[in-house]
Amino acid sequence: MSAPNPVDAPPHILQLLSDLHKKSLEQEAAIAQAKEGKIFSSMVMDELSGDDKNDPAAAFDKLMLDKFIALDEDKCQFTYQLINAMGATNVVEAGTSFGVSTIYLALAVARTKAATGKEGVVIGTEKEVSKADFARAYWRQCGPDVENQIELREGDLLKTLKEDLPEVDLLLLDIWSKLALPTLKIVQPCLRHGAVVLVDNTISGAEGYADLLAYLRAPGSGFRNMTLPFTNGFEMCVYMPTQQ
Ligand SMILES: C[S@@+](CC[C@H](N)C(=O)[O-])C[C@H]1O[C@@H](n2cnc3c(N)ncnc32)[C@H](O)[C@@H]1O
């Protein structure tokens, strides 16, 4: 018997999440064909051909423009649980895409804010205008309890995250692998002691994440790391520097 869904939300939100995960997996399966349905930016960039090889990053963005590539449902549920367990109220998400994982972050932050009386926000980031528009529409469908928790920063996250970050409880790195380390370095000064950094696909995407994983796992990095055994891996890194 599978475990019940831990997410406490009205039926229309649970239905929307279920529909969006389904769409996302269908899209991924169509692209990756026989490759077990998961897409890695480093993998696809290696396989580009012809003109696309000249600017693989732009070609990859073009390919992904209408794709959800949502965080897997069980990873979203784990993140929801973790936010509640930590009492996290300030969460940064890189990137947001159509805003599926963001809904879980918002639901969890709404609960922890209500339980602790603390202020807080989910800061999402998306550089594609069309994806940001879809994300906002889905959040609106969820209602104010979700919509009002989220501040979406549109544009290149290497710029949009440079200013006005609160003390961050949790950072979700669900972004093209080569952007993960630069993003972490921008947010790191704002991570509170005990903050959690989650990184998707760190087993299957290990090659693309080589620089990030070396940084996180270096002695004295301040991060305690564990690869959680979700499909393709999900890194949970706890920030506990000896000196702040
Ligand atoms: C894997 S998807 C995020 C999926 C999302 N977390 C979810 O679960 O629904 C990564 C997103 O990051 C966006 N992205 C890529 N480079 C970016 C950048 N430099 N700044 C902001 N967003 C970026 C992409 O457009 C893409 O939509």
Side-chain angles (χ1 to χ4, degrees):
M1 194 178 77
S2 56
N5 184 352
V7 177
D8 184 12
H12 78 282
I13 298 183
L14 295 176
Q15 188 59 53
L16 177 68
L17 288 171
S18 169
D19 294 346
L20 297 181
H21 280 297
K22 187 161 170 277
K23 272 193 199 168
S24 181
L25 287 177
E26 283 168 2
Q27 286 181 334
E28 290 189 32
I31 295 183
Q33 291 171 337
K35 287 197 179 80
E36 294 277 302
K38 252 300 167 195
I39 303 165
F40 306 106
S41 53
S42 55
M43 175 187 91
V44 176
M45 283 192 207
D46 285 349
E47 289 180 2
L48 293 169
S49 58
D51 288 348
D52 287 345
K53 274 241 179 281
N54 297 330
D55 193 349
F60 185 76
D61 283 343
K62 200 170 84 188
L63 180 69
M64 292 299 139
L65 194 56
D66 62 347
K67 308 295 182 301
F68 280 76
I69 14 171
L71 191 68
D72 291 341
E73 192 169 13
D74 55 356
K75 295 173 182 173
C76 286
Q77 292 177 355
F78 170 80
T79 305
Y80 171 90
Q81 292 278 73
L82 183 63
I83 289 171
N84 281 305
M86 294 170 71
T89 55
N90 285 318
V91 172
V92 175
E93 174 182 66
T96 289
S97 189
F98 289 72
V100 179
S101 50
T102 330
I103 295 173
Y104 291 85
L105 304 178
L107 288 168
V109 162
R111 288 184 72 88
T112 56
K113 281 166 67 175
T116 61
K118 285 196 286 179
E119 297 288 304
V121 65
V122 175
I123 297 175
T125 57
E126 181 50 58
K127 71 169 183 177
E128 304 292 355
V129 176
S130 57
K131 288 186 148 190
D133 288 345
F134 269 109
R136 283 201 190 88
Y138 289 132
W139 301 336
R140 206 169 306 125
Q141 249 176 274
C142 291
D145 285 354
V146 164
E147 206 179 5
N148 294 348
Q149 308 301 330
I150 304 166
E151 174 192 327
L152 180 60
R153 298 192 180 180
E154 261 185 73
D156 182 354
L157 57 81
L158 297 178
K159 294 186 187 129
T160 62
L161 289 181
K162 272 208 167 120
E163 279 169 15
D164 297 329
L165 285 185
E167 188 180 62
V168 173
D169 298 306
L170 185 136
L171 167 65
L172 172 61
L173 289 173
D174 189 18
I175 190 72
W176 307 161
S177 51
K178 73 177 174 56
L179 285 173
L181 181 56
T183 306
L184 174 62
K185 286 184 174 170
I186 289 174
V187 179
Q188 189 172 348
C190 298
L191 293 179
R192 72 150 158 94
H193 190 91
V196 170
V197 178
L198 296 170
V199 193
D200 194 23
N201 295 329
T202 48
I203 295 176
S204 312
E207 206 178 309
Y209 282 131
D211 59 347
L212 173 79
L213 295 176
Y215 180 82
L216 287 167
R217 294 171 183 172
S221 72
F223 290 96
R224 303 285 170 126
N225 308 289
M226 192 175 174
T227 308
L228 304 179
F230 288 94
T231 305
N232 298 313
F234 196 39
E235 207 75 6
M236 177 177 171
C237 315
V238 183
Y239 189 51
M240 292 192 292
T242 44
Q243 289 174 342
Q244 290 258 52

